[in-house]
Amino acid sequence: MRKEKISKGFIGGVVAIAMVISSVSTALAGNVYGDDGSHVKVMTTAGELDSLPLTNFKGTNVYLMPADSNIWISSAGSTADPSTIYFSFAVCPKETFVDTNNGFLIWDNNDDNGMDFDKQHVALFAPEASTSVHSLYLEDINDGSWLQFWYILDDGSYSATQNNFTSGWKQDSIGWWYQNADGSYPKSAWQLINGKYYYFNGDGYMLSNTTTPDGYKVNSSGAWIQ
């Protein structure tokens, strides 16, 4: 179940090579964000990002974004510290899109200067809005937790599906993870589930009977020992 993110190092290298002047989802979606259980709420002109319809594009679930939409992080419902959040918007041509970790070029970011709640950004890269897969990437520069979202222009040519996934605990031969309603799962982050906090490692698996990277203990069920 291992999934990879577009790291800042990767993005920076792409920007340097392509000379692009200045992307979270998820999609690595869901609103959980931060090792301390804090979160961000991503809003668009059409409503909360998680409420937009999804479509399957080349095996990846992406949101369908209406034309002329703006996107922003809402101060109402967000508890993360905006001063530590790096974000970037990136695009990849649809015809060369292979997976969510390759081929994206940044077209807007905040250069590690902190994020402003409620500051609206154009969601779709105007010159290539109809021909590109777009990405919003968010990373806490203090603890490395991150979110990433992917979306494309809703031009009426894609079949929309809403919340095809059922949220809940999943298990395989390695361990337990938690799948959100949009198909994403927490990774290198805490998540509040049914009133209890759980920590998930870099591959998305729940930690148990141990001390988390930020120094908190979790019990045999994975819940934080308060």
Side-chain angles (χ1 to χ4, degrees):
M1 71 173 256
R2 182 179 176 83
K3 296 183 180 178
E4 300 295 338
K5 67 182 174 108
I6 299 179
S7 68
K8 285 169 57 183
F10 170 80
I11 292 178
V14 171
V15 174
I17 294 172
M19 299 300 287
V20 177
I21 299 175
S22 27
S23 80
V24 193
S25 116
T26 20
L28 207 219
N31 282 328
V32 174
Y33 184 77
D35 286 353
D36 58 356
S38 61
H39 64 275
V40 293
K41 185 175 183 179
V42 183
M43 295 295 298
T44 74
T45 308
E48 189 169 353
L49 182 63
D50 283 351
S51 71
L52 297 184
L54 291 164
T55 192
N56 187 290
F57 183 77
K58 294 186 176 180
T60 296
N61 284 305
V62 300
Y63 291 104
L64 292 172
M65 184 72 67
D68 302 319
S69 292
N70 287 345
I71 189 168
W72 66 94
I73 307 301
S74 174
S75 59
S78 295
T79 61
D81 180 1
S83 68
T84 67
I85 296 178
Y86 164 88
F87 73 84
S88 67
F89 293 98
V91 293
C92 176
K94 289 180 180 178
E95 64 268 22
T96 59
F97 178 84
V98 177
D99 59 47
T100 55
N101 198 39
N102 293 290
F104 281 86
L105 302 179
I106 288 179
W107 59 278
D108 187 18
N109 69 10
N110 65 338
D111 198 27
D112 289 350
N113 291 323
M115 179 189 67
D116 294 325
F117 279 141
D118 304 317
K119 181 179 180 179
Q120 298 192 20
H121 302 263
V122 175
L124 296 158
F125 185 51
E128 302 171 358
S130 63
T131 60
S132 298
V133 178
H134 295 68
S135 166
L136 167 61
Y137 174 75
L138 300 158
E139 179 176 338
D140 189 312
I141 60 176
N142 283 348
D143 62 28
S145 57
W146 58 278
L147 286 173
Q148 192 164 3
F149 307 86
W150 295 272
Y151 55 91
I152 57 178
L153 172 66
D154 186 1
D155 59 7
S157 63
Y158 299 96
S159 298
T161 57
Q162 187 71 25
N163 292 334
N164 276 342
F165 300 93
T166 301
S167 61
W169 288 99
K170 309 291 181 180
Q171 184 182 32
D172 61 15
S173 60
I174 298 176
W176 288 89
W177 74 93
Y178 190 84
Q179 180 173 274
N180 296 312
D182 60 3
S184 68
Y185 57 91
K187 187 175 177 182
S188 296
W190 289 92
Q191 180 152 327
L192 180 64
I193 302 170
N194 296 328
K196 296 181 180 180
Y197 282 102
Y198 299 85
Y199 188 85
F200 299 85
N201 68 16
D203 291 327
Y205 290 102
M206 181 196 76
L207 298 187
S208 61
N209 270 336
T210 189
T211 301
T212 63
D214 52 352
Y216 296 94
K217 293 187 180 297
V218 290
N219 61 25
S220 59
S221 299
W224 171 38
I225 302 174
Q226 303 185 41

